[in-house]
Amino acid sequence: MTARAPTHLSPDDLLAYRLSQRLGPVHARQRLGIEQEYEARVFGQDHHSFHLENWTSAPALIRTCLRLSGLLHRGQDNSRNLRVVDHSFRVAGLPAAFDGFRILHLTDLHVDMDELNLKQVIGLIREVDYDLCVLTGDYRKLTWGPIDAALDGMDRLRRAIRGTPLAVLGNHDSIRMLPGLEDQGYRLLLNESTVIERNGQALYIAGVDDAHFYKVHNLHKAGDDIPAEATSLLLSHTPEIWREAAHAGYRLFLCGHTHGGQICLPGGIPVTLDSDCPRALGRGHWQHNGMQGYTSPGCGTSVVNVRLNCPPEITRHTLLCSSG
């Protein structure tokens, strides 16, 4: 039973109290402290990784280059041309009750970036059949500043999602968004897990906090309650923890963050993935050490609302039993 918040708290103190109750005092202090110290920095905590989305001059520079090359309007049109991509996982040991189970995967929505893109996402998901919706982070346009516009967009999206969606936070998302998102009906998994039961059988789903910029993921805590022999799926914002996740025993791994490159060379070759992982993990299906993963190029856009040679997608994964 959750303790009632003390009365007469200031908004900041109430937020700190709610986060402490929800995450535990250490995780709450760590995430808030890192945000306050590092938000809007171009370089990450290691002072070597470059974060283009934190460079305030980047949008104007990239937009100018695209305008001069005649690609700006085409890229904007591409970013709003969403599609639903169907993908199947064949999973050895999958409980029979989950054969044909469909997971709608949304990621990198950046809901306050482009109103037309958000309307496209909402319209599409209302037409798609699925059993569970999962979201793998980056709901806000910027990596710093106000959260109200992002929460408003996520509220509109929530009304279009059937059932209780499971979600994790990304490097664009402030931990200050957590109470608002949960009040809207999203179930956030921040180094936590939950179980879905069907006909007496179980599918375990875990989620970790951002592993890209904030480095506050904890796979040990997320998987503590998952039996070793169970079929388990991990939600992570970024593919960067693929090795750790595979050794932890997850069968499936869903993530985003890379945008598939967003602005790619002909043939879909990404200029950058902004992720410390092999390029083979930058988009689509991949495997490592017995674990299958899927990196979605995402629904929205970051820095500038354009896509070139890298269409946005809403992914629907179907789980299928496999004897292999």
Side-chain angles (χ1 to χ4, degrees):
M1 184 175 179
T2 303
R4 295 181 63 183
T7 58
H8 308 302
L9 289 179
S10 69
D12 286 345
D13 288 340
L14 179 59
L15 173 66
Y17 176 82
R18 287 193 64 178
L19 291 176
S20 179
Q21 290 292 304
R22 172 65 180 80
L23 300 174
V26 174
H27 188 172
R29 285 197 304 268
Q30 181 185 18
R31 187 65 143 84
L32 280 170
I34 293 172
E35 284 189 29
Q36 292 166 2
E37 186 175 355
Y38 288 100
E39 72 172 10
R41 287 194 179 184
V42 176
F43 291 91
Q45 296 180 55
D46 56 10
H47 303 291
H48 299 292
S49 56
F50 180 74
H51 298 274
L52 180 66
E53 64 268 34
N54 290 354
W55 184 23
T56 56
S57 300
L61 177 61
I62 295 172
R63 193 173 287 111
T64 297
C65 292
L66 290 172
R67 184 179 291 112
L68 292 173
S69 65
L71 294 173
L72 180 61
H73 293 301
R74 182 194 300 179
Q76 289 176 331
D77 289 343
N78 290 344
S79 73
R80 296 159 182 162
N81 187 22
L82 277 106
R83 57 182 183 162
V84 177
V85 173
D86 279 300
H87 170 259
S88 296
F89 284 114
R90 292 200 170 271
V91 186
L94 179 73
F98 289 92
D99 189 33
F101 190 76
R102 298 160 302 178
I103 300 174
L104 189 70
H105 180 194
L106 307 176
T107 192
D108 300 278
L109 289 144
H110 302 282
V111 295
D112 50 340
M113 179 77 173
D114 182 16
E115 174 67 17
L116 292 178
N117 176 272
L118 177 58
K119 287 181 176 178
Q120 286 284 324
V121 173
I122 290 172
L124 272 178
I125 65 174
R126 282 181 169 148
E127 300 174 359
V128 179
D129 291 326
Y130 53 91
D131 299 295
L132 172 70
C133 179
V134 301
L135 302 92
T136 52
D138 273 10
Y139 313 121
R140 184 170 61 164
K141 171 184 175 180
L142 299 175
T143 56
W144 69 92
I147 62 175
D148 293 344
L151 286 176
D152 177 69
M154 291 300 290
D155 187 46
R156 292 163 57 195
L157 179 70
R158 176 66 187 92
R159 292 196 291 269
I161 297 173
R162 296 186 296 277
T164 301
L166 305 179
V168 296
L169 296 179
N171 60 293
H172 277 248
D173 304 318
S174 169
I175 198 67
R176 296 176 292 121
M177 297 167 66
L178 174 61
L181 290 170
E182 294 197 325
D183 289 346
Q184 290 169 2
Y186 294 95
R187 181 167 184 187
L188 275 293
L189 297 175
L190 300 182
N191 304 326
E192 299 161 313
S193 66
T194 187
V195 60
I196 298 174
E197 296 184 341
R198 274 188 158 193
N199 300 328
Q201 296 180 317
L203 172 68
Y204 287 82
I205 300 180
V208 290
D209 201 353
D210 175 56
H212 173 68
F213 187 80
Y214 292 105
K215 312 292 186 186
V216 283
H217 60 293
N218 187 329
L219 281 167
H220 304 291
K221 186 178 178 183
D224 275 350
D225 296 327
I226 301 177
E229 70 281 1
T231 299
S232 57
L233 181 157
L234 180 67
L235 304 178
S236 168
H237 175 57
T238 174
E240 290 167 271
I241 56 171
W242 86 98
R243 284 197 190 95
E244 300 167 64
H247 287 301
Y250 290 99
R251 303 282 183 87
L252 302 171
F253 184 113
L254 298 182
C255 61
H257 175 67
T258 67
H259 291 228
Q262 186 171 314
I263 297 176
C264 295
L265 301 175
I269 301 170
V271 177
T272 178
L273 293 172
D274 188 27
S275 185
D276 184 17
C277 68
R279 292 217 159 201
L281 276 63
R283 178 169 59 193
H285 179 260
W286 46 267
Q287 298 186 61
H288 180 75
N289 197 29
M291 180 182 74
Q292 296 185 72
Y294 192 96
T295 305
S296 171
C299 306
T301 53
S302 180
V303 185
V304 289
N305 62 322
V306 297
R307 280 184 178 265
L308 293 171
N309 303 306
C310 183
E313 74 175 55
I314 293 169
T315 319
R316 181 170 57 180
H317 305 283
T318 301
L319 307 188
L320 299 173
C321 291
S322 171
S323 58

